[in-house]
């Protein structure tokens, strides 16, 4: 309750191909939460682990392999800005 997400952080010019609220939305929300939550000892998971949870979530949602790879690799390449 109260958690704010932007769903999948996809640049607006690419929304026609990968909308921020596509079939991968649930995996994106969990990923966003893992990027923002902190325990009293720091972050409970690493950035790499959070990104792998996103990939695994998309697989569980039966997102096609190619789309999973594009979204996962994009998060690995650009996620450092949100992590910081």
């Amino acid at each position: 309750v109260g958690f704010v997400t932007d769903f999948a952080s996809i640049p607006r010019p690419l929304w026609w191909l990968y909308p921020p609220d596509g079939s991968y939305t649930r995996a994106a929300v969990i990923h966003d939460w893992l990027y923002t939550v902190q325990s009293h000892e720091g972050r409970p998971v690493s950035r790499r682990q959070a990104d792998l949870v996103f990939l695994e979530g998309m697989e569980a949602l039966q997102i096609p392999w190619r789309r999973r790879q594009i979204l996962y690799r994009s998060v690995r390449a650009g996620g450092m800005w949100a992590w910081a």
Side-chain angles (χ1 to χ4, degrees), residues 5-29 32 54 58 63 67 70-71:
T5 180
D6 63 354
F7 302 107
S9 304
I10 297 173
R12 188 175 289 271
L14 298 177
W15 284 5
W16 66 274
L17 186 58
Y18 299 103
D21 59 346
S23 54
Y24 37 79
T25 295
R26 289 184 281 170
V29 171
D32 283 1
F54 179 52
M58 288 189 294
I63 306 304
R67 181 164 287 216
I70 289 168
L71 293 170

Side-chain angles (χ1 to χ4, degrees), residues 15-51:
W15 284 5
W16 66 274
L17 186 58
Y18 299 103
D21 59 346
S23 54
Y24 37 79
T25 295
R26 289 184 281 170
V29 171
I30 292 168
H31 181 259
D32 283 1
W33 183 78
L34 288 172
Y35 262 42
T36 59
V37 69
Q38 293 187 0
S39 70
H40 68 282
E41 297 175 359
R43 295 187 190 265
V45 298
S46 69
R47 180 176 157 241
R48 183 174 188 280
Q49 289 170 319
D51 293 349

